[in-house]
Amino acid sequence: MISIRNLTKDYDGSCVVDDVSIEFPQRKVISLIGPNGAGKSTVLGMAARLVARSAGTIEFKGRDVGSWNSRELARHLAILTQSSHVQMKLTVRELVAFGRFPHSGTHLSREDWEKVDQAIAYMELEDYSERFIDEMSGGQRQRAMIAMVLAQDTEFVLLDEPTNNLDIYHATQMMKLVRRLCSELGKTVILVLHEINLAAFYSDYICAFKNGRVAAWGTVDEVMTRECLRDIYGVDFEIREIDGRPLAIYH
């Protein structure tokens, strides 16, 4: 479990995360939503120890996240950020193999390569395993990056806007894959999303941020209400139920 208490982040005297406290349940999909600049990605980055906190505590599996050895932490928690761009000339299989570094370093065993190939197959990338990353479409590259995270074989997966720059088809396919990571593999997935209806359709819980604070936290039904969304975004929505899920239509 990731437990956050009184978390604060200041940049140049400006408070971007203000006294945030929340506990993320295990084996669920949890979406962080809210307007631009609300603090979502910053909270995710602090939870993964990529961003230094100004105050507050973050406990991972009962220990302060700062007390973990980096390689040990990476065996339990993986994060894919918006800035995870590949600069080297790598094939898909070579990229996915980086996910095994926390376990075996640069000396991959037969078991490591089996994990790599399993991740590639799970993301339906077998036909692209020897293709260079820079020759693939944006959606295919995103799937390859997720495969690398999957090969890391952690209980917790943190994703910062995994649907960013994807068209609606590929964004939906990405969210289906996120759902499978939880439902089929038992992983806890925490992700930042701007598309609130994707969050509503594929999440178990939603945490909504506004002005650096938690504005709402709960199940999809509890957060996806007209009043709650109006308070968070400052605009009016109509809520309709589709396939048993509340979806928002902007007016």
Side-chain angles (χ1 to χ4, degrees):
M1 178 182 290
I2 299 176
S3 179
I4 293 172
R5 289 286 179 272
N6 307 116
L7 188 63
T8 300
K9 180 62 181 177
D10 295 313
Y11 283 115
D12 298 324
S14 176
C15 185
V16 295
V17 174
D18 185 10
D19 197 29
V20 167
S21 296
I22 192 168
E23 289 190 357
F24 296 112
Q26 292 181 255
R27 299 182 181 87
K28 302 293 182 182
V29 175
I30 303 132
S31 290
L32 313 185
I33 67 169
N36 290 334
K40 310 178 295 295
S41 294
T42 304
V43 168
L44 198 73
M46 286 190 285
R49 218 171 58 180
L50 297 181
V51 177
R53 54 193 139 145
S54 300
T57 62
I58 305 170
E59 288 190 353
F60 178 65
K61 298 173 79 74
R63 289 168 52 190
D64 188 279
V65 72
S67 71
W68 287 76
N69 171 275
S70 295
R71 192 161 167 178
E72 181 187 13
L73 181 65
R75 295 188 187 117
H76 298 275
L77 185 150
I79 182 168
L80 185 62
T81 67
Q82 296 181 56
S83 58
S84 298
H85 301 301
V86 179
Q87 303 296 330
M88 295 181 289
K89 190 75 171 179
L90 295 172
T91 66
V92 168
R93 196 164 187 258
E94 289 169 338
L95 173 70
V96 176
F98 278 108
R100 299 304 301 163
F101 180 81
H103 302 275
S104 303
T106 58
H107 303 288
L108 271 63
S109 66
R110 178 185 297 179
E111 181 182 352
D112 289 317
W113 284 111
E114 287 176 355
K115 292 279 189 183
V116 169
D117 291 333
Q118 288 169 6
I120 290 171
Y122 196 82
M123 299 305 293
E124 300 177 354
L125 288 168
E126 299 101 317
D127 293 341
Y128 304 94
S129 63
E130 300 305 321
R131 184 175 295 186
F132 289 108
I133 293 294
D134 61 0
E135 298 173 355
M136 300 172 69
S137 70
Q140 291 166 343
R141 285 196 298 270
Q142 283 283 69
R143 284 161 56 196
M145 298 298 291
I146 298 290
M148 179 181 66
V149 169
L150 187 57
Q152 197 170 328
D153 196 24
T154 59
E155 306 106 290
F156 288 78
V157 177
L158 279 54
L159 304 172
D160 192 359
E161 297 193 39
T163 62
N164 196 28
N165 297 322
L166 298 183
D167 59 43
I168 188 62
Y169 171 78
H170 287 103
T172 302
Q173 293 302 112
M174 180 62 67
M175 290 305 299
K176 288 180 179 178
L177 291 168
V178 165
R179 185 70 253 174
R180 288 173 59 200
L181 293 180
C182 176
S183 301
E184 297 178 8
L185 301 183
K187 298 185 182 298
T188 303
V189 185
I190 306 171
L191 65 161
V192 172
L193 282 178
H194 277 294
E195 303 89 343
I196 58 175
N197 283 331
L198 287 179
F201 205 82
Y202 293 101
S203 304
D204 297 300
Y205 292 91
I206 293 177
C207 183
F209 287 83
K210 182 181 180 181
N211 298 327
R213 300 180 67 92
V214 174
W217 159 256
T219 64
V220 171
D221 287 333
E222 289 170 336
V223 176
M224 290 290 293
T225 68
R226 183 176 181 178
E227 296 75 18
C228 184
L229 295 180
R230 183 171 54 206
D231 179 63
I232 294 164
Y233 292 98
V235 295
D236 203 13
F237 292 88
E238 178 185 350
I239 305 297
R240 295 184 184 176
E241 187 172 301
I242 300 177
D243 292 337
R245 291 277 181 164
L247 301 183
I249 299 172
Y250 167 68
H251 282 284

